[in-house]
Amino acid sequence: MFDQYIGISPKSDLILLQTLGEKLHKRTFLHINSTREGGGVAEILQRMIPMLGELGIQARWEVIEGDAKFFDITKKIHNAIQGNIEDITEEMWQHHYEINKKNAEKLNLEADAVLIHDPQPVPLIEFKKTGVWLWRCHIDVSSPQEEVCDYLTRYCRKYDAAIFSVAKFARAFPIDEFIVSPSIDPVSEKNKELTRDEIGSILEKFQITADRPIILQVSRFDRFKDPIGVIKAYRLVKKYNDCVLVLAGSPATDDPEGEKVLDEVREYAANDPDISILLLPPFSDRDINALQRSATVILQKSLREGFGLTVSEAMWKGKPVIGGAAGGIPLQIIHGVTGFLVYSVEGAAFRVRQLLNNPVMAEEMGEKAREHVRKNFLITRQMRDYLSVWYAMENKGRSILEL
Ligand code: UDP
């Protein structure tokens, strides 16, 4: 399986990964999150768990279960961590804990290393048995509602270490902290090469004609992804450049707000025949791949963003991406080199027009974007980092050269 990455991933990543794989051979590595489908965390785990297995590590992926109230609460926690003001009562925190307790009774939590993703399953630390426990924060903690953050910290500080996607997200926890950015899999259905015919038939299925430039945003329908801002930017562009807009998204089982936001977006689009709002079923990887490959300019106009895998996905396809200057997006977009960072609707519209009017610049930017992703944001690098963190936690004080 790893042979597929030779010539794609940096060689140094593959060598280190193989060495770490030998060191951690047959050891157990448990990942826990709150959804199998939808969103970036599930996206990565779907690919990474089998790859860890190929490397000789006994990797497992468990998903916690909860009722509607639990997911309403955890979405509120998520929104508060990303800066909204939310009222999370003691009773709600208690429910959050109780649901985790029930999950702990059902799940096998024994492993040499346990990686808990995001706030939903964070209280599981109370039921730790063995191994190194790592809390992995995927969300944008740049300006959180402090009370909510403080409450969560009570759990976080009990972990052996915390992992953030972006250095500026790291909090002053009294535990070890690591920075590991997320990644995409270049050989997955979502990112592998497609033929012209394959792309053509997928566009046909969605009744999108490629006779005009396509502006695309792929995202869950979440206000932090600013789909309304994308429509506003498109409308400004449309005054001067003919183009179509595609907004593609699918629901995530741990995101109860999606439907409401989708309704708002539909209403705002007001039956504009040049706006396609595609509600995709889970696992529409090939369709998303084709949409990204057929777009002229790709937007990820997020207002808050943990990392924004869709940015690297688009960049890997050689596309110029215009991203909101939030969270992990500036790691991926080097302004003016691998894409453009924007701070407003007007800024986004200006950059879309600049790219539509300068196809050569757009192409060069796309090429640089792909190289930037190759060096920094492929799954082999992220696996290398996770295994390094685990190895480092078990071998504190030893130099990596002793590997
Ligand atoms: N995605 C998808 N279908 C959709 C919308 C998004 O498969 O309709 C995928 C997208 O391609 C990306 C992930 O979900 O791989 C979203 O990750 P990102 O980090 O961009 O955002 P998150 O949803 O985790 O906030």
Side-chain angles (χ1 to χ4, degrees):
M1 186 179 194
F2 277 91
D3 289 357
Q4 297 178 78
Y5 297 88
I6 297 171
I8 301 179
S9 297
K11 197 171 170 185
S12 54
D13 288 353
L14 295 177
I15 293 171
L16 191 51
L17 195 49
Q18 203 173 3
T19 311
L20 285 160
E22 284 159 15
K23 289 279 172 195
L24 298 166
H25 194 69
K26 298 226 165 108
R27 306 286 305 283
T28 50
F29 193 6
L30 170 62
H31 289 252
I32 305 182
N33 81 325
S34 60
T35 180
R36 268 202 205 275
E37 61 199 43
V41 181
E43 174 81 19
I44 295 170
L45 289 176
Q46 278 153 25
R47 301 298 301 174
M48 193 180 282
I49 300 298
M51 284 175 71
L52 286 166
E54 288 283 324
L55 211 56
I57 292 167
Q58 293 182 19
R60 273 193 300 134
W61 173 16
E62 300 286 1
V63 174
I64 57 163
E65 290 172 356
D67 52 12
K69 180 175 169 188
F70 175 77
F71 288 112
D72 278 340
I73 296 169
T74 56
K75 181 71 191 191
K76 278 199 165 78
I77 296 174
H78 177 103
N79 287 344
I81 299 290
Q82 297 210 137
N84 283 4
I85 301 298
E86 302 282 354
D87 183 22
I88 300 174
T89 62
E90 190 53 43
E91 190 267 327
M92 288 156 99
W93 283 115
Q94 194 55 33
H95 191 72
H96 182 226
Y97 171 81
E98 290 299 333
I99 293 286
N100 272 279
K101 184 164 179 251
K102 276 194 195 141
N103 278 281
E105 284 157 11
K106 276 197 292 189
L107 296 173
N108 170 9
L109 296 179
E110 302 228 11
D112 295 315
V114 178
L115 194 49
I116 301 290
H117 297 263
D118 281 338
Q120 296 94 334
V122 77
L124 287 177
I125 187 66
E126 302 292 351
F127 310 95
K128 170 179 171 173
K129 293 190 180 106
T130 52
V132 172
W133 278 58
L134 308 164
W135 183 58
R136 197 337 169 192
C137 176
H138 291 273
I139 54 187
D140 185 336
V141 249
S142 55
S143 50
Q145 186 183 335
E146 289 297 342
E147 272 163 66
V148 175
C149 225
D150 289 349
Y151 203 107
L152 269 188
T153 302
R154 296 187 206 177
Y155 293 120
C156 301
R157 58 193 302 141
K158 296 184 178 168
Y159 281 77
D160 297 300
I163 304 176
F164 297 90
S165 297
V166 182
K168 71 172 181 189
F169 293 169
R171 314 278 304 168
F173 290 158
I175 55 173
D176 287 312
E177 294 184 326
F178 297 88
I179 307 302
V180 176
S181 43
S183 62
I184 63 159
D185 186 347
V187 303
S188 67
E189 278 291 294
K190 182 158 285 162
N191 297 309
K192 68 179 193 187
E193 297 288 336
L194 295 177
T195 64
R196 229 174 241 273
D197 286 351
E198 286 169 322
I199 297 171
S201 63
I202 290 171
L203 285 191
E204 207 173 307
K205 177 173 85 177
F206 291 125
Q207 299 175 324
I208 297 169
T209 45
D211 54 350
R212 285 173 291 169
I214 297 172
I215 316 297
L216 171 73
Q217 175 158 302
V218 175
S219 272
R220 286 181 295 106
F221 289 98
D222 179 318
R223 294 192 188 96
F224 286 122
K225 309 282 184 184
D226 200 17
I228 302 281
V230 171
I231 297 179
K232 287 182 181 165
Y234 151 83
R235 288 198 171 129
L236 290 178
V237 171
K238 188 86 171 176
K239 288 186 191 164
Y240 309 96
N241 295 65
D242 197 12
C243 58
V244 297
L245 174 67
V246 179
L247 288 169
S250 60
T253 51
D254 62 350
D255 180 359
E257 276 179 357
E259 234 168 274
K260 213 156 79 194
V261 177
L262 176 62
D263 287 345
E264 287 166 19
V265 171
R266 283 199 172 121
E267 195 183 326
Y268 198 76
N271 295 324
D272 180 335
D274 290 340
I275 301 180
S276 303
I277 298 171
L278 307 178
L279 185 59
L280 303 175
F283 308 113
S284 302
D285 292 1
R286 211 179 172 74
D287 290 349
I288 289 173
N289 189 345
L291 290 169
Q292 288 168 330
R293 287 183 188 280
S294 58
T296 314
V297 176
I298 298 189
L299 281 167
Q300 188 54 59
K301 214 202 139 313
S302 305
L303 304 169
R304 294 275 190 282
E305 188 59 80
F307 180 70
L309 281 184
T310 48
V311 174
S312 275
E313 286 166 6
M315 290 169 69
W316 179 246
K317 292 164 185 112
K319 299 295 170 178
V321 184
I322 298 169
I329 294 180
L331 293 181
Q332 302 170 77
I333 297 183
I334 302 166
H335 184 65
V337 182
T338 66
F340 286 117
L341 292 172
V342 295
Y343 300 81
S344 64
V345 165
E346 292 74 16
F350 174 79
R351 295 302 181 185
V352 173
R353 292 199 58 229
Q354 189 176 4
L355 287 165
L356 292 182
N357 294 336
N358 293 283
V360 174
M361 182 181 106
E363 198 181 327
E364 284 173 4
M365 200 169 244
E367 277 165 26
K368 288 185 189 134
R370 183 173 163 93
E371 273 318 294
H372 189 53
V373 173
R374 184 198 306 282
K375 291 196 183 111
N376 299 290
F377 303 118
L378 297 186
I379 193 163
T380 37
R381 191 274 309 144
Q382 193 185 356
M383 288 173 63
R384 177 205 78 184
D385 288 353
Y386 277 169
L387 298 185
S388 302
V389 169
W390 175 7
Y391 190 79
M393 292 303 295
E394 285 190 348
N395 294 275
K396 277 199 175 178
R398 284 178 66 191
S399 154
I400 187 85
L401 297 175
E402 293 172 54
L403 240 173

